[in-house]
Amino acid sequence: MNVSQGKDTPSDELVEALDRVFGFRSFRPNQEALVRAVLAGRDVFAVMPTGGGKSLCYQLPAHLLDGTCVVVSPLISLMKDQVDAAADNGLRAEVYNSTLDGRQRAEVMRRLVAGAIDLLYVAPERLAMDGFLSTLESVKLCLFAIDEAHCISEWGHDFRPDYLALSRIVEHFPGVPVAAFTATATHRVQQDIIERLALRDPHTVRASFDRANLFYQVTPKDNVNGQLLEFLTHRPGESGIGYRTTRANVDSTAAFLSQHGVSAAPYHAGLGPEVRQANQEAFNRDEVHVVVATIAFGMGIDKSNVRFVVHADLPKNMEGYYQETGRSGRDGEPAHCLLLFGRGDISKQRYFIDRMESESEREVASGKLNEMARFASTNACRRRALLGYFGERYEPENCGACDICRGSVEQVDATVDAQIVMSAVVRTGQRFGAAHVVDVVCGADTQKIRDFRHDQVKTYGAGKGRPKRHWRSIIDDLIAQEFLEVSRDGLPILRVTPTGGEVLFGRRTFSVLKQRKVEPAAKAGPAARRGKGAEPAGEYDVGLFEHLRSLRTKLAREKNVPPYVVFSDRTLREMSQLAPASEAQMRAVTGVGEKKLAQYGQAFLDAIADYRRPGSQGS
Ligand code: ADP
Ligand code: MG
């Protein structure tokens, strides 16, 4: 089963193995170079986005090399799914953790020592146990693969002290290469990971953060539950996540959706471990379609067919937004990321920030919130803004997969409105907050206005014709675009910034976004094919797709694995496009390797033939 080892493995031998095991015709960006480095015995370090295909970079070498690859993965609850997925491709994978009883553990050990395991999944705390490292010394190892490697860094956002035990690997096993993978690491975190793991001149990859198959949309929030329901009616049976900030809102939204016939379940830290585990499991197995959750949900979930992520409340920062939206579309198929943006959310988040203990933390959090609010209200390509935040330049003029680039949002000039507001700010001495400024603009009769004689200023009542809501949102946009700033010391007071002054004096214009119509870009069906980054393009038979999807669910249940482990959405879509009629044609479908063909090929061929038979629904 082994190909010639080392860096000289010919390209076609690797591609042949890729096809045979995984049923993939080509490598994704960086995969081949990483696989080659590992085959050559080098340490590697890779930052690749979620869905970039990191697992394959250690699974393929583990299959090709003699000896076992030890995979360190942070969450025991998800290890079984990872092992099931590898095993379903014919890899000899096992978990070794506290969920096994003594007999099972002894059996895994026996096979390990006998050299009958390609991939052994363990939690980091396992490696901290002395006995375990010594046991491994009597095993032939080919690689240590560290998943979610950023957890070892205190500079990262998910530091886990358990990961520190991994520093001992290189010392204990100087002859075994170490491969570290993560989806998020700043340069500082990268350096930290490399030092702590003591990687030796690692082959390093920093891939683009771009997720070409995700469609980004921001839309004004008015009635969360109604908007969500409307969004979901275009996506029957699809898997997705709805994020909300508070537990109470998670519960009420999940209940609302359930009452309206959506298969939904809540997830938050207040629910108790059994309920959380059960709801996550049901989602993973497509038994529940929508999880409504706080950000406690999602870490390490490998479910590949999440078709949408809706943020019903404003995320705290861009890191969170990127990570949460990133949980959709791992399979490379189109997925839709919708953010419902209400101005009120900014002040709700500020309320929590203002209560933070440390001043420096407050400052950082507040700066990040401003960036988030700006993202939600800018009038430029969302993809460019998102990547720009992470220091990456996005070159194309039009990304083709966000609401701005698809023209569902238009820019409207609002320079005059901006001048009215800023003039009121300046003429009242830059000493008041938004509520008072709106009162002045609208010509209200309040005690405060009488006390300060603000009915005498020139702009008093200049905006009478429009509702307060309108002026409030102009102020929010001015803040988001940094034409106004809010003092953070003491009471929130509005001031005009230098660039704001340019608008005030007519040297610069100001525009706001107006939504045209919401275009459900990435729903299942032929419409989805228009999305960029989602190849191969072409129509497919939606009815057949549904037919195959239910077969997938049935087979997954029988085998007690999540449906995406059987076949990905992408594989089902290709099947419904090509309608294979022979084993050879079936084997040519992406994701159908030798083992999958043997296990499921006939069942799917029968289902396709059945669907196409005259008189059945598909003819
Ligand atoms: P990551 O761990 O980087 O988030 P995964 O390893 O879970 O990503 O892979 C994401 C999805 O992409 C999986 O469904 C996997 O089967 C698929 N995939 C990986 N490599 C390829 C490839 N070369 N061609 C097609 N699909 C791939
Ligand atoms: Mg992964």
Side-chain angles (χ1 to χ4, degrees), residues 54-55 147 302 330:
K54 292 184 283 295
S55 335
D147 210 0
D302 270 347
R330 278 173 170 261

Side-chain angles (χ1 to χ4, degrees), residues 362-406:
R362 253 195 330 264
E363 227 162 73
V364 171
S366 163
K368 291 195 172 204
L369 177 60
N370 288 345
E371 296 270 7
M372 189 66 233
R374 179 151 17 152
F375 171 82
S377 40
T378 45
N379 34 26
C381 169
R382 313 259 183 226
R383 177 165 273 100
R384 188 173 311 124
L386 187 56
L387 294 174
Y389 178 82
F390 292 105
E392 190 177 325
R393 247 180 96 87
Y394 184 76
E395 300 288 350
E397 199 51 49
N398 186 311
C399 82
C402 76
D403 51 357
I404 307 274
C405 289
R406 288 283 282 272

Side-chain angles (χ1 to χ4, degrees), residues 18 22-29 31 48-59 82 89 147-148 181-183 211 301-305 326 329-332 564 568 570 590-591:
L18 176 73
F22 296 96
F24 300 149
R25 302 310 157 242
S26 57
F27 285 103
R28 291 230 178 112
Q31 281 180 328
M48 282 161 76
T50 304
K54 292 184 283 295
S55 335
L56 192 144
C57 299
Y58 54 84
Q59 290 181 344
Q82 295 175 331
N89 279 323
D147 210 0
E148 316 286 351
F181 300 92
T182 172
R211 300 285 311 278
I301 291 205
D302 270 347
K303 183 176 167 62
S304 70
N305 61 331
R330 278 173 170 261
D331 50 12
Y564 68 84
S568 70
R570 163 147 194 193
T590 300

Side-chain angles (χ1 to χ4, degrees), residues 197-331:
L197 291 174
L199 301 185
R200 298 143 293 191
D201 180 30
H203 172 81
T204 299
V205 160
R206 286 188 72 88
S208 166
F209 271 65
D210 186 24
R211 300 285 311 278
N213 58 318
L214 304 194
F215 186 97
Y216 299 102
Q217 178 184 12
V218 182
T219 206
K221 161 160 144 180
D222 45 50
N223 150 26
V224 173
N225 288 346
Q227 285 175 294
L228 258 175
L229 193 59
E230 153 73 17
F231 180 84
L232 294 173
T233 54
H234 296 290
R235 294 166 171 78
E238 291 188 8
S239 285
I241 309 172
Y243 282 107
R244 302 228 55 182
T245 306
T246 66
R247 295 174 187 182
N249 284 340
V250 165
D251 288 335
S252 63
T253 296
F256 174 87
L257 293 178
S258 302
Q259 278 153 23
H260 288 80
V262 176
S263 146
Y267 188 104
H268 57 69
L271 280 175
E274 309 80 32
V275 180
R276 280 204 308 258
Q277 179 69 28
N279 289 354
Q280 172 172 313
E281 186 75 11
F283 178 63
N284 220 8
R285 293 178 181 237
D286 293 352
E287 287 156 17
V288 153
H289 295 146
V290 181
V291 166
V292 183
T294 60
I295 55 172
F297 181 76
M299 154 96 166
I301 291 205
D302 270 347
K303 183 176 167 62
S304 70
N305 61 331
V306 175
R307 296 267 68 88
F308 58 86
V309 167
V310 178
H311 282 91
D313 302 305
L314 188 70
K316 280 202 268 293
N317 51 47
M318 298 284 282
E319 284 86 351
Y321 175 74
Y322 179 80
Q323 205 166 48
E324 286 133 29
T325 52
R327 292 179 179 135
S328 63
R330 278 173 170 261
D331 50 12

Side-chain angles (χ1 to χ4, degrees), residues 412-425:
V412 183
D413 184 83
T415 309
V416 173
D417 283 359
Q419 288 168 336
I420 291 174
V421 166
M422 288 194 285
S423 151
V425 170

